[in-house]
Amino acid sequence: MTAPPDDCLARNEWICGAYLSTRRQILLDAVVQHLQLTLLSVLIGLAIALPLAVVARRWGWAAGPVLAVTTILYTIPSLAMFSLLLPLYGLSATLVVAGLVLYSLTLLVRNVLAGLRAVPEETRQAARGLGYGPVRLLLTVELPLALPAAMAGLRIATVSAVSLVTVGAIVGFGGLGNLIYAGMNTYFKAQVLTASVLCVLIAVAADLLLLGVQRLITPWTRAARA
């Protein structure tokens, strides 16, 4: 009877320290790509969502179409979304980023718009009475007061992007998703588990980081709760 191998890699165990030590650079490269794709897509999504939410707030007739289009985009399955974008971007990281940007718009636009709508009208009137123009009113009054709702949407969009990046493995740009996909094809237990755990850790860390930023830039919310 043959004795079992001493190496946890040879035994194909779920938890294997040898995998971490021998694939450290592979894991690091996958984490870096995962973070880059997530950060870029969320920042671009936020840059698009802010003006859309402002337009929807300023002109009420635009709110319906803006919310409808972004909601429809969110209902498209990820594989179908990447397939629709494939003729435009080819098999590239840009394809993944574009898909994630479109998915993030629903969460970001809705929450920023909800924050802007929640600004009390008397606050706006008081600012106008002090001579605030539309741009100054938006930048110094409305957007700061909308921050709690906007940050909530940003946190959800970021965590969603962390998970959706893994789908990019179908085009070779999925960060840790590449390792999960390859590991599942070969039933490489340690690789699947390690990459999956790292995805969860990235999502939790990103959410906690944004929560800390939210508490830092909205001190009045802490005072109100106290």
Side-chain angles (χ1 to χ4, degrees):
M1 186 173 181
T2 304
D6 294 331
D7 189 356
C8 61
L9 286 173
R11 294 194 300 270
N12 194 27
E13 295 180 351
W14 287 104
I15 301 176
C16 181
Y19 175 80
L20 295 175
S21 60
T22 58
R23 271 78 168 181
R24 184 180 296 111
Q25 190 59 47
I26 294 175
L27 288 170
L28 179 60
D29 292 342
V31 168
V32 169
Q33 185 183 78
H34 208 105
L35 292 174
Q36 289 175 336
L37 292 171
T38 300
L39 181 61
L40 189 58
S41 62
V42 171
L43 288 178
I44 295 175
L46 185 60
I48 298 173
L50 277 174
L52 286 178
V54 171
V55 168
R57 175 66 183 88
R58 292 298 184 196
W59 296 282
W61 60 266
V66 167
L67 293 176
V69 171
T70 55
T71 300
I72 291 172
L73 290 173
Y74 196 76
T75 62
I76 301 175
S78 55
L79 292 179
M81 177 70 80
F82 289 154
S83 298
L84 292 172
L85 296 173
L86 187 60
L88 294 175
Y89 302 107
L91 298 175
S92 65
T94 306
L95 169 66
V96 179
V97 171
L100 296 179
V101 167
L102 294 178
Y103 278 126
S104 69
L105 289 180
T106 299
L107 300 170
L108 293 173
V109 171
R110 284 185 177 275
N111 280 271
V112 175
L113 180 57
L116 291 173
R117 285 174 169 172
V119 177
E121 186 57 34
E122 56 268 24
T123 301
R124 292 191 179 91
Q125 294 296 338
R128 292 190 186 101
L130 293 173
Y132 283 42
V135 176
R136 187 183 179 190
L137 175 63
L138 174 67
L139 296 179
T140 62
V141 177
E142 293 180 313
L143 285 180
L145 292 178
L147 274 175
M151 288 298 298
L154 183 61
R155 288 170 57 194
I156 299 172
T158 302
V159 172
S160 298
V162 171
S163 63
L164 286 172
V165 165
T166 57
V167 184
I170 62 173
V171 295
F173 295 92
L176 291 165
N178 293 338
L179 300 182
I180 296 173
Y181 183 73
M184 292 181 68
N185 283 338
T186 59
Y187 200 55
F188 192 172
K189 296 179 181 178
Q191 181 161 297
V192 172
L193 181 61
T194 303
S196 300
V197 169
L198 286 174
C199 281
V200 174
L201 292 177
I202 290 174
V204 172
D207 187 55
L208 291 176
L209 176 62
L210 289 174
L211 177 60
V213 171
Q214 178 181 341
R215 291 174 60 84
L216 183 65
I217 63 178
T218 58
W220 63 87
T221 59
R222 299 198 304 272
R225 286 195 295 268

